[in-house]
């Protein structure tokens, strides 16, 4: 059964309010607690499922979509299995996207933004326009700095689209590699000790950081190789 937590302790561990935990319980997102008399106790599985709910919300899923996703996971399943799913889905961004008004967006950018610029920001995946609000994605501040340089909007747009195209392809490939060679072998084992669970979680966190560092250093190395080839070609 694992840890026995009261609803207050569960809410604190999940970083949610008690009201939210009870609401999610009412929706069936977590299984019923163990009852001893009038007291309800929650376990590691409940916490793992709440963490999974948060991970799914961070990816923009509605509660209805989350219900459908969780319905495919046995309610009495293993807490480690649910924890692995949550960890694999946890957003790579250090901060969740910001939601701002048009005035706040322009204040953040430090300049007025015309419709063409907003279309460009949306095209390169840095701003999502929903109703009268804007959701800022990681990289927004860097791109706005590019807009202040003496570079045509066409060139900036082309560069942004190239970055988006190649990084999305790279993310898909790396995610598949992690799933096949890291998550898959771990989930294939029927039982995990607490030490193995902690080690796996640490491994995933470190792999993410190393992957980000490898992407930066790999681009630097590739860019240098392109420059060197160009210089050799020019000298030929």
């Amino acid at each position: 059964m694992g840890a026995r937590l009261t609803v207050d302790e569960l809410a604190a561990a999940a970083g949610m309010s008690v009201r939210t935990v009870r609401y999610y319980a009412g929706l069936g997102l977590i299984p019923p607690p163990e009852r001893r008399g009038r007291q309800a106790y929650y376990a590691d599985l409940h916490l793992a499922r709440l963490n999974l709910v948060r991970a799914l919300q961070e990816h923009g899923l509605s509660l209805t979509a989350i219900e459908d996703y969780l319905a495919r996971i046995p309610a009495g399943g293993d807490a480690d299995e649910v924890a692995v799913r949550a960890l694999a889905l946890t957003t790579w961004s250090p901060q969740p996207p910001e939601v701002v008004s048009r005035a706040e967006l322009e204040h953040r950018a430090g300049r007025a933004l015309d419709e063409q610029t907003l279309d460009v920001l949306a095209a390169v995946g840095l701003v999502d326009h929903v109703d009268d609000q804007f959701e800022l994605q990681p990289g927004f501040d860097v791109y706005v700095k590019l807009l202040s340089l003496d570079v045509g909007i066409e060139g900036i747009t082309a560069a942004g689209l190239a970055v988006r195209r190649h990084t999305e392809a790279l993310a898909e490939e790396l995610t598949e590699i992690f799933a096949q060679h890291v998550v898959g072998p771990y989930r294939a084992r029927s039982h995990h000790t607490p030490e193995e669970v902690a080690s796996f979680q640490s491994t995933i966190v470190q792999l993410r950081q190393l992957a980000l560092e490898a992407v930066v250093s790999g681009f630097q190395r590739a860019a240098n190789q392109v420059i060197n080839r160009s210089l050799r070609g020019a000298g030929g």
Side-chain angles (χ1 to χ4, degrees):
M1 184 69 177
R4 284 189 171 85
L5 307 171
T6 65
V7 67
D8 298 275
E9 293 169 336
L10 176 64
M16 301 177 179
S17 68
V18 171
R19 181 178 181 180
T20 298
V21 171
R22 286 178 170 151
Y23 177 62
Y24 290 166
L27 292 176
L29 301 185
I30 60 176
E34 176 186 358
R35 292 198 171 273
R36 293 194 172 185
R38 302 181 64 179
Q39 182 65 57
Y41 289 100
Y42 299 83
D44 295 336
L45 176 61
H46 298 91
L47 179 58
R49 286 179 72 96
L50 288 177
N51 288 334
L52 179 55
V53 169
R54 179 187 290 106
L56 293 168
Q57 288 176 322
E58 289 174 348
H59 285 284
L61 271 69
S62 67
L63 282 178
T64 299
I66 291 173
E67 287 183 74
D68 292 340
Y69 182 93
L70 292 180
R72 298 193 293 271
I73 303 175
D78 183 75
D80 290 345
E81 168 70 14
V82 177
V84 168
R85 289 175 180 266
L87 189 61
L89 292 172
T90 300
T91 176
W92 286 48
S93 304
Q95 299 293 334
E98 297 179 60
V99 178
V100 299
S101 65
R102 175 68 174 265
E104 291 170 329
L105 176 69
E106 295 186 336
H107 177 75
R108 175 71 172 268
R111 55 181 292 172
L113 300 173
D114 57 27
E115 294 305 317
Q116 180 189 19
T117 303
L118 289 175
D119 288 343
V120 169
L121 291 171
V124 297
L126 295 175
V127 170
D128 290 328
H129 189 186
V130 181
D131 297 327
D132 59 345
Q133 293 187 309
F134 299 83
E135 187 176 89
L136 308 186
Q137 301 295 332
F140 171 80
D141 293 323
V142 173
Y143 198 88
V144 167
K145 291 178 182 178
L146 286 175
L147 294 175
S148 66
L149 300 179
D150 188 19
V151 180
I153 192 70
E154 294 82 4
I156 294 176
T157 303
L161 290 174
V163 169
R164 180 176 186 178
R165 181 172 64 255
H166 290 290
T167 52
E168 286 181 352
L170 178 60
E172 289 182 3
E173 189 168 350
L174 286 177
T175 298
E176 178 61 30
I177 291 172
F178 287 164
Q180 182 177 350
H181 296 284
V182 181
V183 178
Y186 176 87
R187 292 174 64 178
R189 297 195 294 272
S190 60
H191 176 72
H192 304 92
T193 66
E195 292 76 18
E196 288 174 333
V197 174
S199 176
F200 174 77
Q201 293 174 336
S202 176
T203 296
I204 290 294
V205 172
Q206 292 181 66
L207 277 175
R208 287 185 171 190
Q209 183 59 42
L210 290 172
L212 293 175
E213 294 175 5
V215 168
V216 173
S217 61
F219 175 80
Q220 292 171 332
R221 182 172 60 255
N224 286 335
Q225 291 172 347
V226 169
I227 292 172
N228 290 335
R229 287 198 297 270
S230 176
L231 289 174
R232 286 195 295 271

